[in-house]
């Protein structure tokens, strides 16, 4: 039955590829058309739309994930050019990145405290000792360095080579960072090919709003994290208020950041992000609103996530294998013996309260 269904589906893929995909208007062989289409963004959307009706979702999911991993880049060349032009400004405390420097007052304790909730406690001076952290889109290392000082081994990656050069140079002035901080100019997709399930935590702070493909990015975060590992995100909501504060005020009027830094269409609401994370194998633990006061240049936590927010999610552990469960062992629910879904439920129950603004 599956063969017939798959056969019909394959015919339909071919038929629709010929008439619907904008990249396939010219004549060509079927293999050429399919090869071209593999790199077409619509292919993944098409697969997701049509495969959701099929019964063999395992095959469908693997197909979609394959297309995701081989075809998509998170890089937006315009964003790369933008950050290339600002690369020498990272460590100017009063400059274009001043707001990111002061954001450390919230995000460093947020990351530290959430990691300490998940992992065992170490001496106060090095609370994150023994943890491997990946800082994706690290820029000049503004967040990478303080986490290295807390004892973690942190790898900062950024697609802009000059950012990485500046970050390395700055870290070289502090001997404490020598064994704790490393940098590499590459994309997350490239790293995900090499470092599967390698990190205890992944950070993407003020990065999501600069990507070409968020699905691929989250998928790669999942790949590089160990099961049960933490994903930390700070980003900007897509609301009318965020348009006024992050673009009109911050860029045009107060010039806190250069004009054109943000594209409102790329902002993501907490609800959209939670949905994407949960469908990608994460469970969201904590979501908190943040507020930037331009008068004093300081950040504070607030209930509303209408503009800026911070999120912590955990990579779910694998479901226990069906054939490992022994039903008549002791009368207890088998899931109680695993720290997979059981732990997920406990953590979800203990999740921070928050106000959603979509
Ligand atoms: C607003 S900065 C944030 C820097 C750093 N995370 C911080 O908060 O201090 C955004 C960074 O994302 C990087 N970036 C742009 N596109 C990226 C991509 N596709 N993958 C990873 N990083 C990217 C930029 O080069 C830049 O360094």
């Amino acid at each position: 039955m599956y063969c017939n269904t798959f056969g019909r589906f394959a015919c339909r893929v071919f038929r629709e590829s010929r008439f619907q995909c904008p990249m396939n208007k010219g004549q060509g062989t079927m293999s050429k058309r399919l090869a071209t289409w593999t790199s077409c963004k619509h292919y993944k959307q098409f697969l997701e739309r049509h495969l959701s009706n099929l019964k063999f979702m395992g095959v469908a999911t693997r197909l979609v994930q394959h297309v995701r991993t081989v075809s998509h880049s998170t890089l937006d060349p315009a964003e790369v050019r933008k950050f290339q032009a600002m690369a020498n400004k990272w460590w100017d405390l009063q400059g274009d990145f001043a707001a990111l420097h002061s954001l450390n007052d919230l995000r460093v304790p947020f990351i530290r405290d959430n990691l300490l909730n998940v992992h065992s406690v170490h001496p106060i001076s090095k609370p994150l000792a023994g943890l491997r952290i990946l800082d994706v889109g690290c820029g000049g290392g503004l967040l990478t360095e303080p986490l290295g000082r807390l004892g973690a081994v942190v790898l900062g990656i950024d697609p802009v080579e000059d950012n990485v050069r500046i970050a390395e140079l700055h870290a070289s002035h502090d001997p404490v960072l020598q064994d704790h901080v490393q940098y590499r100019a590459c994309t997350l997709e490239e790293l995900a090919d090499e470092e599967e399930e390698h990190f205890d935590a992944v950070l993407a702070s003020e990065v999501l709003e600069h990507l070409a493909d968020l699905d691929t990015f989250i998928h790669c975060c999942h790949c590089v994290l160990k099961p049960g590992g933490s994903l930390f995100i700070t980003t900007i909501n897509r609301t009318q208020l965020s348009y006024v504060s992050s673009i009109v005020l911050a860029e045009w009027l107060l010039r806190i950041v250069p004009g054109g830094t943000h594209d409102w269409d790329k902002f993501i609401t907490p609800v959209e992000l939670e949905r994407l994370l949960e469908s990608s194998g994460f469970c969201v633990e904590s979501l908190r609103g943040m507020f930037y006061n331009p008068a004093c240049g300081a950040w504070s936590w607030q209930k509303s996530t209408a503009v800026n927010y911070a999120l912590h999610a955990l990579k779910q552990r694998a479901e226990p294998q069906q054939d490992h469960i022994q039903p008549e062992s002791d009368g207890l629910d088998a899931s109680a013996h695993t720290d997979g879904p059981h732990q997920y439920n406990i953590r979800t129950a203990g999740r921070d309260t928050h106000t959603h603004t979509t």
Side-chain angles (χ1 to χ4, degrees), residues 137-208:
C138 62
L142 274 53
L143 179 58
T144 326
E145 287 197 8
L147 294 169
R149 288 192 191 96
L150 289 174
V153 171
V154 195
L155 172 64
I157 61 167
D158 201 287
V160 176
E161 277 190 30
D162 283 351
N163 288 349
V164 168
R165 196 176 42 77
I166 296 281
E168 280 172 339
L169 184 67
H170 195 271
S172 70
H173 297 309
D174 184 350
V176 171
L177 295 176
Q178 212 180 353
D179 296 328
H180 288 276
V181 161
Q182 250 194 328
Y183 293 101
R184 194 172 144 187
C186 68
T187 63
L188 178 59
E189 306 86 281
E190 285 160 357
L191 193 79
D193 279 343
E194 302 161 24
E195 304 282 15
E196 223 175 288
E197 303 201 335
H198 187 75
F199 296 95
D200 300 287
V202 172
L203 324 176
S205 189
E206 307 305 303
V207 171
L208 263 50

Side-chain angles (χ1 to χ4, degrees), residues 11 20 79 107 123 150 160 192 230 238 257 270 290:
C11 287
Q20 289 188 355
E79 296 283 349
R107 60 186 175 175
L150 289 174
V160 176
S230 291
R238 197 179 64 259
V257 290
M290 303 187 295

